[in-house]
Amino acid sequence: MKGLILITGAGGFTGRHACRYFSKLGYPVAAVVRREDKTAPSERVYTCDLTNKNQVAALIGQTDPHYVLHLAGRNAVADSWRDPLGCMESNLSSTLYLLEALRGKPDCRLLIAGSMLSFDLAGAPEPPHPYSLAKTMQVLAARAWGHLFHQEVLIAQPSNLIGPGHSNGICGLLAAKIVQWERGTDLSSFRLSSEHEERDYLDVRDAVAAYERILATGSPGLVYPVCSGTMRSLGDIARMYAKITSMQLPIEIGQTPRQTPPLPMDQGPMKELNWAPVISFEQSLSDALEYSRHS
């Protein structure tokens, strides 16, 4: 029997997929939520405030995990401007409390989901927003802690995750808006800041499969970019949804100046683990739309 995996943020977009995926693979799953959630997809559900050191220590003592997938934390840039300290606590403090609680379990492998919005520490510390600062410090602290105390700490750096489920990302928001247009409940237009802004978009189910591969065979201390390897624009998203629905979508395009697109993320580390995405961009958007239609 495979060892128990503790999944934080189990009630979130990625967390729900992760609970189902690891359960199907035969892992006993301990799902961690901040507040009571009877819909969490696991037989073992634990309520824990991860910014409370004592609660985290009790959680680890009670569950005795072989693996920890740390997905919990605040991930909204706008929210980080309103409450920068809360963002730091949610992302950095929770990680440190998990690391400390696991110090007595050196064989437990901890995978932390970082962010592609982290900034480069090689130059001056000029993060674009408090969320970037929080995620950068989270990864820095986790890697350093693992080195200092010889813990099995691994880092994933996911791109923008899309697919079925409740998501506040652009693909999820536009899918929900399309359903309103289809039903006639809200015919107002949807505004995109720019047609040309590019990002890497990866299906959340592919990301969860990557997390399992990293936990199983990854090397502690390394950062694994988890991405599709293809840059797509906001205009590409709108056009794909128009193709899927055969609708003339009432979308307004803003005049944000064209910016230099970020460089594609490095797929090399994940290729070494024999992982590659299998779900197409069109399928991801189609599944996101079907989820919105039935939710």
Side-chain angles (χ1 to χ4, degrees):
M1 186 177 183
K2 295 180 178 179
L4 182 140
I5 180 170
L6 185 147
I7 300 176
T8 70
F13 175 55
T14 306
R16 291 180 181 276
H17 284 282
C19 287
R20 287 189 286 266
Y21 183 81
F22 280 90
S23 293
K24 288 180 180 179
L25 291 181
Y27 289 84
V29 172
V32 182
V33 295
R34 185 179 179 89
R35 300 177 183 86
E36 184 177 356
D37 184 354
K38 295 181 180 179
T39 67
S42 175
E43 295 180 357
R44 303 176 179 88
V45 180
Y46 298 85
T47 302
C48 180
D49 178 358
L50 295 174
T51 64
N52 184 306
K53 179 181 177 181
N54 293 331
Q55 287 189 30
V56 174
L59 172 70
I60 296 301
Q62 185 178 3
T63 57
D64 190 23
H66 291 80
Y67 307 96
V68 175
L69 175 56
H70 185 34
L71 301 173
R74 296 191 188 181
N75 61 1
V77 171
D79 179 64
S80 76
W81 284 111
R82 290 189 292 268
D83 184 12
L85 182 57
C87 183
M88 290 294 292
E89 289 177 337
S90 180
N91 291 293
L92 178 58
S93 297
S94 65
T95 301
L96 288 171
Y97 293 155
L98 277 170
L99 287 162
E100 175 64 14
L102 291 168
R103 268 210 298 146
K105 302 180 184 298
D107 294 331
C108 180
R109 289 168 69 84
L110 167 63
L111 174 59
I112 294 167
S115 172
M116 64 177 295
L117 296 180
S118 297
F119 69 96
D120 187 358
L121 285 169
E126 298 179 350
H129 38 69
Y131 173 70
S132 176
L133 174 62
K135 297 301 286 187
T136 302
M137 294 300 294
Q138 177 192 44
V139 169
L140 176 62
R143 296 181 72 186
W145 202 273
H147 168 74
L148 291 169
F149 300 107
H150 309 290
Q151 291 178 264
E152 299 269 312
V153 179
L154 307 105
I155 308 294
Q157 188 181 51
S159 64
N160 295 273
L161 301 186
I162 61 176
H166 177 71
S167 169
N168 290 321
I170 183 65
C171 295
L173 293 176
L174 184 49
K177 187 64 175 179
I178 289 171
V179 172
Q180 292 179 341
W181 291 331
E182 290 176 337
R183 295 173 179 172
T185 57
D186 185 346
L187 300 180
S188 62
S189 60
F190 187 92
R191 182 176 177 81
L192 295 177
S193 60
S194 164
E195 181 181 2
H196 307 291
E197 181 181 335
E198 292 186 334
R199 293 289 183 269
D200 184 293
Y201 296 93
L202 176 70
D203 192 281
V204 63
R205 295 161 291 187
D206 278 330
V208 168
Y211 295 161
E212 194 276 335
R213 190 64 56 86
I214 297 169
L215 274 170
T217 62
S219 299
L222 296 187
V223 176
Y224 290 91
V226 177
C227 60
S228 71
T230 301
M231 303 298 289
R232 300 183 187 275
S233 69
L234 295 179
D236 290 335
I237 296 171
R239 285 186 287 272
M240 183 59 74
Y241 270 130
K243 174 186 175 183
I244 293 169
T245 60
S246 300
M247 290 176 60
Q248 185 69 32
L249 303 181
I251 293 178
E252 296 181 8
I253 305 295
Q255 300 301 316
T256 301
R258 185 189 292 266
Q259 299 178 350
T260 301
L263 295 174
M265 298 171 71
D266 181 13
Q267 289 186 296
M270 288 307 303
K271 286 182 178 179
E272 292 182 4
L273 299 185
N274 296 316
W275 173 89
V278 298
I279 301 174
S280 70
F281 180 63
E282 182 173 359
Q283 187 64 56
S284 294
L285 296 193
S286 179
D287 290 348
L289 183 57
E290 283 302 304
Y291 172 84
S292 290
R293 284 170 173 161
H294 294 95
S295 61

